[in-house]
Amino acid sequence: MNTIKVSVPSTSANLGSGFDVVAIAHDAYRESLVLTVIDGGRGEITVESGSRKVAFQKNTAGLAASLIMEEYGISADLRISLTKSIPTGLGLGSSGASAAASVYAMNLAFDLGLSDNEMVRYAMLGETASSGTPHADNVSAALLGGITIVRSTDPMDCVSFRPEYGPNLLTVIPYVRLKNKTRSAREMIPTTVETDRAIDNSRRLSSLIHGLITGDRKSLYFGLNDAIYERSRISLYPYLDMFREKMLELGAVGVCASGAGPSILAFLDEQSDIRSMEKAASSIMGSFKLRFRMVSSGICGGARVE
Amino acid sequence: MNTIKVSVPSTSANLGSGFDVVAIAHDAYRESLVLTVIDGGRGEITVESGSRKVAFQKNTAGLAASLIMEEYGISADLRISLTKSIPTGLGLGSSGASAAASVYAMNLAFDLGLSDNEMVRYAMLGETASSGTPHADNVSAALLGGITIVRSTDPMDCVSFRPEYGPNLLTVIPYVRLKNKTRSAREMIPTTVETDRAIDNSRRLSSLIHGLITGDRKSLYFGLNDAIYERSRISLYPYLDMFREKMLELGAVGVCASGAGPSILAFLDEQSDIRSMEKAASSIMGSFKLRFRMVSSGICGGARVE
């Protein structure tokens, strides 16, 4: 019997114009996974989230582990125990975190020598247990840390970097539960876009990447905006425009939806008046009759052994 | 009477996935414009390109100057003399160069105090004399130098940067003349794109910007590629795929069409075998029965007084 404990951070994907491509790892939350390997078993996987047993195929950690087991012909029994602290279904990469932690633990436990990109691939496939559609953004940030760009999905290829300027992040997390949010959110994305809007988004995305790497305030401001993807899901975070306007007034660098929402992510710097932002958030969320939490965080590393 | 002489570099726009957004200034060519201001005139503009007189409204330098004259109520006569050395109609920013040089000279001659973005805007509008549709990519690079990102067109906003790693560039310029190429090239762009392809391009574009800033070889490789815009105009440079394959084999970092073509731009580094590339280019261009020229260049500054 062999036990390994790993942890992964919360993550925010998309960042406005970087839909399905860009994500950031932050220390708003960090949660752990314990993998126990029982040799001589028959390849059975049990998954416990807190004290609740869940079917492994329906859990992102369980599915990711089973894919690896199958591909590497592993016959040991696995016990995966998740201690969830990233709020689920709120756009903070909770489902991706479990998948990422599972793959990271499997790689170490069985000494598989997986590359970063191979880990991202397995975690992405594992996350389909929750999202239906494979997407690598959250899992890449949860695994590799920093800011990640999914450069390619075929072959899977991600690059991660950790910019010198920070950034300082603020997450506004409303307590809204939407059943199957991730699936429905995907259905809200239009199947075609007008070229002019696509080019408009290319401008924003170029700004975003420039801003994320260099810290250029104006590039981040232009980039943390989107006219297609974030916009098409506005009903999932109807308060976003009010937030954006108010937070920018109070000196935020930029504001965007965190993943498919409902959480909001703001990039801050020394010009930002956080105290007034808290008051503004109370007033805006109050008008939507929503309870919420605000968490200040910074960019952080990815998966690690605990 | 007051005379000012300025020069501007050749430029390559798009760079694969950065259609209408990204451009680079290179010292493959540099050409000059002489602006003579004759006080007490009636606001007449004469444009000479070499020894040939051209109608100012049909010339990008003339149109740009006339727009500024009108907006600033300038009543002097202007004589614009262009010494074209950037080959025209070959995707090297020739029409944008004239517009950029004209605006740069006007700003100095009349001490207008235009910001970089205001200069880009006038030059962009001037370039419509040639292209029909305003686009700011070439003119931004010709004015500001380095690599430029058009972050926004409303308000006009560009950012320019000069990366530490180089890059080394190679331009392959076939002598093909297509009448009204820029206009027709624009009509080849589809009016809508499937979202999946747009996201695929977002990945490439994110890689491109990351690669351009950091010099990351793999990011440049992924980014100097496009599945929508460059692809839709492949008939303007039917040899691109052969070139790309061969040049990558010979150690190029990445290969793309320069603007709307027909020229090709390659990013090189110490792994690149330029000599063999010359031979390969001869063989490929020979098979298309095209004469061509290859020019090695580097990134360079923008408009300047001579």
Side-chain angles (χ1 to χ4, degrees):
Chain A
M1 201 163 95
N2 177 10
T3 293
I4 188 163
K5 183 177 183 179
V6 302
S7 76
V8 286
S10 48
T11 55
S12 292
N14 302 346
L15 308 186
S17 51
F19 181 72
D20 263 11
V21 179
V22 183
I24 188 167
H26 42 61
D27 52 15
Y29 299 93
R30 179 168 275 272
E31 66 179 33
S32 61
L33 176 151
V34 176
L35 171 68
T36 306
V37 178
I38 302 132
D39 291 324
R42 291 174 302 173
E44 279 176 11
I45 304 177
T46 53
V47 180
E48 275 181 20
S49 182
S51 56
R52 202 166 50 88
K53 285 218 167 182
V54 286
F56 78 87
Q57 308 92 328
K58 293 192 173 172
N59 176 273
T60 63
L63 181 58
S66 77
L67 293 170
I68 294 176
M69 274 186 103
E70 201 173 315
E71 207 133 317
Y72 285 84
I74 293 168
S75 58
D77 286 344
L78 302 182
R79 206 155 58 210
I80 294 171
S81 170
L82 297 158
T83 308
K84 297 298 292 175
S85 69
I86 305 172
T88 57
L90 299 181
L92 297 168
S94 169
S95 62
S98 300
S102 171
V103 171
Y104 193 76
M106 288 291 286
N107 187 40
L108 292 172
F110 295 100
D111 200 14
L112 303 175
L114 297 174
S115 69
D116 286 351
N117 288 325
E118 286 168 326
M119 283 199 282
V120 169
R121 199 183 131 263
Y122 281 117
M124 175 185 80
L125 295 174
E127 206 193 343
T128 58
S130 153
S131 71
T133 322
H135 57 282
D137 41 12
N138 286 106
V139 296
S140 66
L143 278 163
L144 313 179
I147 293 164
T148 52
I149 299 173
V150 181
R151 293 191 287 206
S152 163
T153 49
D154 183 21
M156 175 55 67
D157 189 288
C158 300
V159 65
S160 157
F161 59 93
R162 191 81 176 261
E164 278 170 30
Y165 66 93
N168 294 320
L169 303 168
L170 184 70
T171 330
V172 182
I173 309 161
Y175 292 113
V176 194
R177 287 307 300 271
L178 294 163
K179 217 169 140 57
N180 289 322
K181 187 206 65 177
T182 313
R183 279 178 211 268
S184 335
R186 219 140 257 277
E187 288 159 13
M188 290 177 181
I189 302 294
T191 54
T192 60
V193 291
E194 302 88 62
T195 305
D196 287 349
R197 287 176 73 207
I199 294 169
D200 183 37
N201 244 48
S202 289
R203 293 201 179 94
R204 296 167 202 254
L205 179 57
S206 300
S207 294
L208 179 67
I209 305 297
H210 181 262
L212 289 172
I213 296 173
T214 64
D216 184 289
R217 209 176 196 275
K218 215 165 176 183
S219 285
L220 283 168
Y221 165 76
F222 281 121
L224 290 164
N225 258 294
D226 161 277
I228 303 174
Y229 310 109
E230 188 182 84
R231 192 53 34 197
S232 67
R233 291 167 163 180
I234 193 75
S235 63
L236 296 178
Y237 30 75
Y239 36 78
L240 175 64
D241 291 337
M242 286 171 79
F243 251 104
R244 182 172 274 142
E245 192 185 336
K246 195 67 197 167
M247 302 277 246
L248 291 172
E249 232 177 83
L250 296 170
V253 179
V255 179
C256 63
S258 179
S263 295
I264 302 292
L265 182 74
F267 278 60
L268 308 184
D269 66 5
E270 66 289 344
Q271 294 178 43
S272 311
D273 176 359
I274 301 191
R275 290 226 173 160
S276 302
M277 285 179 187
E278 286 212 60
K279 280 187 210 158
S282 282
S283 145
I284 293 170
M285 286 306 190
S287 74
F288 283 87
K289 301 201 188 331
L290 287 172
R291 287 189 310 123
F292 73 99
R293 212 181 142 183
M294 259 172 99
V295 183
S296 290
S297 68
I299 192 169
C300 71
R304 65 173 186 235
V305 174
E306 288 296 313
Chain B
M1 201 163 95
N2 177 10
T3 292
I4 188 163
K5 183 178 183 179
V6 302
S7 75
V8 286
S10 48
T11 56
S12 292
N14 302 346
L15 308 186
S17 51
F19 179 72
D20 262 11
V21 179
V22 183
I24 187 166
H26 42 60
D27 53 15
Y29 299 92
R30 180 169 274 273
E31 67 179 32
S32 60
L33 175 149
V34 176
L35 171 68
T36 306
V37 178
I38 303 131
D39 292 323
R42 291 174 302 173
E44 279 179 11
I45 304 176
T46 53
V47 180
E48 276 181 18
S49 183
S51 56
R52 201 165 51 90
K53 285 217 168 183
V54 286
F56 77 87
Q57 307 92 328
K58 293 192 173 173
N59 177 273
T60 63
L63 180 59
S66 76
L67 293 171
I68 293 176
M69 276 187 102
E70 201 172 316
E71 206 132 320
Y72 285 84
I74 295 167
S75 58
D77 285 345
L78 302 182
R79 206 156 58 210
I80 294 171
S81 170
L82 296 159
T83 310
K84 297 298 293 173
S85 70
I86 305 172
T88 57
L90 298 181
L92 298 168
S94 170
S95 62
S98 301
S102 171
V103 171
Y104 193 76
M106 288 291 287
N107 186 41
L108 291 172
F110 296 98
D111 200 14
L112 302 175
L114 297 174
S115 69
D116 286 351
N117 289 324
E118 286 167 327
M119 283 199 282
V120 169
R121 198 182 132 262
Y122 281 117
M124 175 185 80
L125 295 174
E127 207 192 343
T128 58
S130 153
S131 70
T133 322
H135 57 283
D137 41 11
N138 286 105
V139 295
S140 67
L143 278 162
L144 313 180
I147 293 164
T148 53
I149 298 173
V150 182
R151 293 192 286 205
S152 163
T153 49
D154 184 22
M156 175 54 68
D157 189 289
C158 300
V159 65
S160 157
F161 60 92
R162 190 81 176 259
E164 280 170 29
Y165 65 91
N168 294 321
L169 303 168
L170 184 71
T171 330
V172 183
I173 308 161
Y175 293 114
V176 193
R177 287 307 300 270
L178 295 162
K179 216 170 143 55
N180 289 323
K181 186 208 65 176
T182 312
R183 279 176 212 269
S184 336
R186 219 140 257 279
E187 286 158 15
M188 290 177 180
I189 302 293
T191 54
T192 59
V193 288
E194 303 89 61
T195 306
D196 286 349
R197 285 176 75 206
I199 295 170
D200 183 38
N201 244 47
S202 289
R203 294 201 178 93
R204 296 167 203 254
L205 179 58
S206 300
S207 293
L208 179 66
I209 305 297
H210 181 263
L212 289 172
I213 297 173
T214 64
D216 184 289
R217 207 176 198 277
K218 215 166 178 184
S219 285
L220 284 168
Y221 164 77
F222 281 121
L224 290 164
N225 258 294
D226 161 277
I228 302 175
Y229 311 109
E230 188 182 86
R231 191 53 35 196
S232 66
R233 292 167 161 181
I234 194 75
S235 63
L236 295 177
Y237 30 75
Y239 36 78
L240 176 63
D241 291 337
M242 285 170 79
F243 251 105
R244 182 171 274 142
E245 191 185 336
K246 196 69 197 167
M247 301 277 245
L248 290 173
E249 233 178 83
L250 296 170
V253 179
V255 180
C256 62
S258 180
S263 295
I264 302 291
L265 183 73
F267 279 60
L268 308 184
D269 66 5
E270 67 288 346
Q271 295 178 44
S272 311
D273 175 1
I274 301 191
R275 291 226 171 159
S276 302
M277 285 179 187
E278 286 211 61
K279 279 188 211 158
S282 283
S283 145
I284 293 170
M285 286 306 191
S287 73
F288 283 86
K289 301 203 188 331
L290 287 172
R291 286 189 313 123
F292 73 99
R293 214 182 141 184
M294 257 172 101
V295 183
S296 290
S297 68
I299 192 169
C300 72
R304 65 174 187 235
V305 175
E306 288 298 312

